[in-house]
Amino acid sequence: MTDFRTLDDVDVKGKRVLLRVDLNVPTENGRVTDATRIERVADTIREIADKGGRVVILAHFGRPKGKRVESESLAPVAEATAAILGRKVAFASDCVGPAAKAAVDALADGGIVMLENTRFHAGEEKNEADFVKALAENGDVFVNDAFSAAHRAHASTEGLAHVLPAYAGRAMQAELDALTKGLEKPARPVCAIVGGAKVSTKIDLLENLVSRVDSLVIGGGMANTFLHAIDIDVGKSLAERDLAGVAQRILDKAKKTGCAIILPVDASVAKEFKAGAENHEYGIDAIPSDGMILDIGSLSINRVKSAITDAKTVVWNGPLGAFEISPFDKGTVEAARFAAKRTKAGQLVSVAGGGDTVAALNHAGAADDFTYISTAGGAFLEWLEGKSLPGVEALRRKD
Ligand code: AMP
């Protein structure tokens, strides 16, 4: 049994199921250009409908800031959803009030309706009790399948869970299972790999990880700040020199918690940030003063692979180098492929997500073999930071 209430805990037959999903898909001229987010929740919609539930889809779209903005209507998304499901999806021009009620009342068992953008009402982001009540009038139960919106306590992501019986949908359940395996109840040792441009955006994340994981690989631009903090000259590399104190504090904390810190021992260095820029590898104590570290070096790649080999679980956020410009993608690509290979062989649980990580692992051709890749962005990062996510907490089993 999972720690959360799921669709296995409710009989939806004949019930009006308010289903919160994330349909914030990219569009161009009113057409959906990438339907990945719709595909992710299609199974949950089908399952509820096939069990005889009446599916009432709730979602936000864009940032209309509490006003009706026609260009941020969910109408085109409803059409795209119908096409993906191969089923009729009705559409209501409002998510509360008479239009919503009429559309929901017209549903037969197994029917599907999408209600208009929840953010057309200011009560959504303010989680106003009256707005929560108005939404709840059209549902008997609430199912949340929008992990990516679960870090926000909005009416349709959190408020509803307090006034209706609430359950995780299948996409939410898969995400929660993966996150539990990744950090809450992981197979140990756990190795975290953190890269990306800056320390400043990931201070909370690093502080949390050093107290929870057995080893922490630090790569990318942020490693330069750590190297600078331990008196290594990083030349013209991107580094937040003013954060040397923060980096030192994280290193001290790691010492106390027994978390091994793995910093680069060599680096691929160029004079310009450009694809194909002339580059050389240097030991970390010999970085030229006019050079920029753009990737970890070969010895460091081997050390990262060893850290992955030693681990039963890897949690990954952020590229190890400037992966968008070849050949500075080498460290990220080799480490990602290595983790993917061990995962495929059943030797590793690998969970990754946040920011550019998904793009970097796709670029490496490694994403399909990872145990789980979260596309949730902000919610995934807050989870890595050890914060509790209101939309998730509301689904936690209490008994
Ligand atoms: P983030 O969004 O924090 O995960 O940062 C990702 C960005 O960090 C990517 O655009 C990378 O190009 C960049 N990055 C990684 N390593 C370096 C580096 N050594 N120097 C400059 N930028 C880097």
Side-chain angles (χ1 to χ4, degrees):
M1 194 165 71
T2 70
D3 297 342
F4 300 93
R5 296 183 301 275
T6 72
L7 282 176
D8 296 324
D9 298 296
V10 57
D11 178 8
V12 294
K13 188 163 173 42
K15 296 203 175 96
R16 298 167 305 161
V17 180
L18 284 175
L19 171 64
R20 177 58 155 102
V21 291
D22 180 356
L23 296 178
N24 219 359
V25 290
T27 54
E28 227 174 80
N29 303 323
R31 284 180 64 94
V32 174
T33 52
D34 177 355
T36 311
R37 285 195 154 142
I38 304 176
E39 281 154 9
R40 283 208 160 205
V41 294
D43 283 347
T44 301
I45 299 174
R46 281 198 196 97
E47 180 177 338
I48 296 169
D50 290 346
K51 287 178 169 170
R54 303 174 183 201
V55 188
V56 182
I57 299 174
L58 292 173
H60 75 275
F61 191 58
R63 296 179 186 275
K65 303 228 164 93
K67 289 193 310 273
R68 177 171 279 276
V69 176
E70 287 316 322
S71 60
E72 291 183 336
S73 167
L74 275 169
V77 182
E79 266 177 45
T81 306
I84 283 168
L85 292 171
R87 301 185 186 194
K88 186 169 177 282
V89 175
F91 185 73
S93 59
D94 202 350
C95 62
V96 290
K101 183 173 181 336
V104 174
D105 286 351
L107 281 183
D109 289 358
I112 306 167
V113 63
M114 187 177 295
L115 307 186
E116 183 57 286
N117 195 346
T118 52
R119 287 195 187 164
F120 281 2
H121 294 266
E124 163 70 341
E125 291 186 63
K126 292 186 186 144
N127 204 357
E128 267 169 13
D130 284 350
F131 184 66
V132 172
K133 205 168 139 217
L135 287 173
E137 273 168 22
N138 291 310
D140 303 304
V141 298
F142 172 58
V143 173
N144 191 346
D145 218 18
F147 177 81
S148 52
H151 55 317
R152 312 204 190 280
H154 292 171
S156 69
T157 61
E158 199 257 357
L160 277 174
H162 297 293
V163 297
L164 293 175
Y167 307 89
R170 296 303 183 199
M172 170 75 92
Q173 187 183 347
E175 186 97 25
L176 295 176
D177 283 351
L179 301 192
T180 303
K181 267 195 224 156
L183 213 51
E184 290 193 6
K185 296 178 186 166
R188 288 195 177 271
V190 186
C191 170
I193 300 178
V194 181
K198 292 179 170 176
V199 171
S200 51
T201 55
K202 295 188 186 172
I203 297 173
D204 290 349
L205 182 150
L206 291 165
E207 296 247 23
N208 182 45
L209 288 178
V210 291
S211 63
R212 297 180 73 163
V213 304
D214 303 288
S215 63
L216 172 64
V217 170
I218 303 176
M222 70 160 61
N224 304 336
T225 301
F226 281 86
L227 294 170
H228 169 72
I230 54 172
D231 285 336
I232 286 170
D233 186 352
V234 294
K236 290 220 168 83
S237 304
L238 171 73
E240 293 166 289
R241 289 169 173 76
D242 53 327
L243 289 184
V246 171
Q248 192 58 59
R249 190 178 76 214
I250 291 166
L251 294 175
D252 291 344
K253 187 168 174 186
K255 212 172 263 171
K256 278 200 200 104
T257 58
C259 170
I261 298 283
I262 299 159
L263 279 165
V265 288
D266 62 349
S268 174
V269 176
K271 287 198 177 126
E272 37 183 359
F273 190 96
K274 192 171 107 184
E278 189 187 336
N279 63 92
H280 299 281
E281 284 198 1
Y282 296 92
I284 216 67
D285 53 358
I287 304 296
S289 56
D290 60 349
M292 269 187 295
I293 297 174
L294 293 182
D295 195 12
I296 59 173
S298 308
L299 292 173
S300 307
I301 294 175
N302 285 337
R303 293 196 75 196
V304 176
K305 286 184 181 171
S306 300
I308 295 171
T309 303
D310 288 342
K312 289 213 169 77
T313 304
V314 161
V315 177
W316 189 327
N317 169 257
L320 297 176
F323 78 99
E324 302 95 333
I325 49 170
S326 171
F328 308 105
D329 55 348
K330 185 170 171 231
T332 305
V333 166
E334 286 204 17
R337 288 187 182 159
F338 189 74
K341 195 172 93 190
R342 287 190 69 79
T343 307
K344 203 172 174 190
Q347 295 156 316
L348 185 71
V349 170
S350 50
V351 178
D356 279 342
T357 315
V358 184
L361 298 185
N362 278 331
H363 171 77
D368 287 349
D369 289 329
F370 267 58
T371 309
Y372 192 79
I373 307 246
S374 174
T375 52
F380 181 82
L381 288 175
E382 288 201 18
W383 170 78
L384 279 188
E385 288 166 1
K387 296 188 176 140
S388 65
L389 313 183
V392 167
E393 288 313 308
L395 304 174
R396 202 177 278 281
R397 218 182 269 286
K398 292 194 183 75
D399 35 88

